[in-house]
Amino acid sequence: MAELTALESLIEMGFPRGRAEKALALTGNQGIEAAMDWLMEHEEDPDVDEPLATPLGHVLGREPTSSEQGGPQGTSSTAGEGKPVLSEEERQEQTKRMLELVAQKQREREEREEREALERERQRRKQGQELSAARQRLQEDEMRRAAEERRREKAEELAARQRVREKIERDKAERAKKYGGSVGSRPSPPAEPGPVPSSPSQEPPTKREYDQCRIQVRLPDGTSLTQTFQAREQLAAVRLYVELHRGEEPGGDQDPVQLLSGFPRRAFSEADMERPLQELGLVPSAVLIVAKKCPS
């Protein structure tokens, strides 16, 4: 059975003559498989159908054959010489083998393209994961900086509150030291025979316990101070509040405040200053009077 030439086989499989000749020339006439590989790899090239710039003989590294030198006339004159004619069955069989080879090459190319596509997709996902991880690290850094800033602000606020509390405690200690030393030089108020029960309006309700106490203090100049204290605070807190908020009196240092109850009349002693307001019957509200200084 006569075999078709490589060029005829490529034309028989449907490739254009110019493209088939170009493939054979550029592959050095190494066979139909090499030509088919070139055709399938370059089928999308824009210049695939352009003829070669140099004669085929020079491209292939050989002298042009008589058919190539003769051009179309030489080709036509030798086309039928020395070439056996294939029967229809032989031609179909050879075409079938060529088509199977083309299909195999096509499958190999599709598999290669599929692997390349999978590799590109893997790289794309990897880059996406790296970008997502970088973005997450950036967000975590921002959240950490924000948390550190909140902790710093909270620490500064707590430190400021602590300084205020320490200043108040120092002021209390200084006033207690100052007034405690001068208490003995003042005439003691007349001793009361015993604790005088408060009026019904000053006693805490039996059905309700108050945790706050509203105290109004009348000053010697006719003005008054009103403040709310905790029911368990000592009477000394009221005295300290009055000492801090009463107006300055002429004559230099001020004497400790002497507190009196309005009705029934009662002068609170230094021992009473350590007792809670609730225990003294001043809850939920009471009116106290600052005693006037006796002229010396």
Side-chain angles (χ1 to χ4, degrees):
M1 180 181 66
E3 294 286 342
L4 290 176
T5 63
L7 178 59
E8 292 173 344
S9 299
L10 293 174
I11 296 173
E12 186 71 19
M13 285 186 287
F15 292 106
R17 171 178 287 273
R19 191 177 297 187
E21 290 177 348
K22 187 175 182 179
L24 289 170
L26 293 178
T27 56
N29 278 330
Q30 296 180 2
I32 190 171
E33 292 189 17
M36 288 177 58
D37 289 340
W38 186 92
L39 287 169
M40 298 179 70
E41 291 177 0
H42 298 274
E43 63 178 351
E44 301 296 335
D45 293 353
D47 59 345
V48 66
D49 292 321
E50 294 182 3
L52 292 175
T54 57
L56 296 179
H58 296 289
V59 173
L60 300 179
R62 58 179 175 82
E63 293 298 327
T65 61
S66 59
S67 61
E68 294 171 348
Q69 293 176 350
Q73 294 179 356
T75 301
S76 60
S77 61
T78 60
E81 297 178 359
K83 184 187 298 183
V85 179
L86 297 177
S87 64
E88 185 64 25
E89 293 181 359
E90 291 174 341
R91 184 180 295 276
Q92 291 179 358
E93 181 66 22
Q94 193 168 15
T95 301
K96 181 180 178 181
R97 290 198 307 269
M98 294 298 103
L99 291 177
E100 290 176 353
L101 183 60
V102 171
Q104 179 181 352
K105 295 296 182 181
Q106 183 71 19
R107 287 193 301 271
E108 292 176 355
R109 187 184 68 171
E110 291 176 353
E111 291 175 358
R112 184 175 65 254
E113 292 177 350
E114 184 178 358
R115 288 194 301 269
E116 293 174 354
L118 290 175
E119 179 64 20
R120 288 194 298 271
E121 178 65 17
R122 189 182 67 82
Q123 292 295 333
R124 186 189 65 80
R125 292 185 179 182
K126 181 180 179 181
Q127 293 176 357
Q129 292 174 356
E130 293 176 352
L131 180 60
S132 177
R135 187 179 296 112
Q136 183 176 359
R137 287 194 299 271
L138 180 61
Q139 293 177 353
E140 290 175 355
D141 292 342
E142 292 178 354
M143 292 175 62
R144 183 164 53 253
R145 286 194 295 270
E148 292 175 355
E149 181 68 17
R150 288 195 296 270
R151 285 195 296 269
R152 185 184 63 79
E153 293 176 354
K154 185 67 174 179
E156 292 178 354
E157 181 180 355
L158 292 176
R161 292 182 179 179
Q162 182 64 24
R163 289 193 295 270
V164 171
R165 284 195 294 267
E166 291 174 355
K167 185 177 184 303
I168 293 176
E169 291 298 328
R170 287 196 302 269
D171 293 344
K172 287 183 179 180
E174 291 174 359
R175 289 186 174 275
K177 182 178 179 181
K178 176 181 177 181
Y179 298 140
S182 61
V183 169
S185 61
R186 289 177 53 84
S188 300
E192 297 289 337
V196 179
S198 304
S199 62
S201 62
Q202 293 176 324
E203 294 180 356
T206 57
K207 294 184 180 180
R208 180 180 177 184
E209 288 191 5
Y210 295 90
D211 57 357
Q212 290 185 343
C213 175
R214 182 178 178 84
I215 300 295
Q216 182 182 18
V217 181
R218 296 177 181 174
L219 302 177
D221 60 359
T223 61
S224 63
L225 300 173
T226 303
Q227 181 63 21
T228 301
F229 300 89
Q230 297 295 322
R232 293 183 176 83
E233 284 192 79
Q234 297 176 352
L235 183 60
V238 180
R239 183 174 68 178
L240 179 60
Y241 175 79
V242 174
E243 291 172 350
L244 293 175
H245 291 82
R246 65 175 174 173
E248 295 291 338
E249 297 180 3
D253 296 338
Q254 295 182 350
D255 294 330
V257 171
Q258 178 67 44
L259 297 177
L260 307 174
S261 62
F263 181 83
R265 190 80 169 181
R266 175 186 177 185
F268 293 102
S269 64
E270 284 298 319
D272 292 332
M273 295 298 162
E274 306 298 327
R275 297 173 64 187
L277 300 176
Q278 189 176 29
E279 184 179 332
L280 294 173
L282 302 178
V283 176
S285 63
V287 178
L288 301 180
I289 303 172
V290 176
K292 298 182 179 180
K293 291 196 299 182
C294 298
S296 54

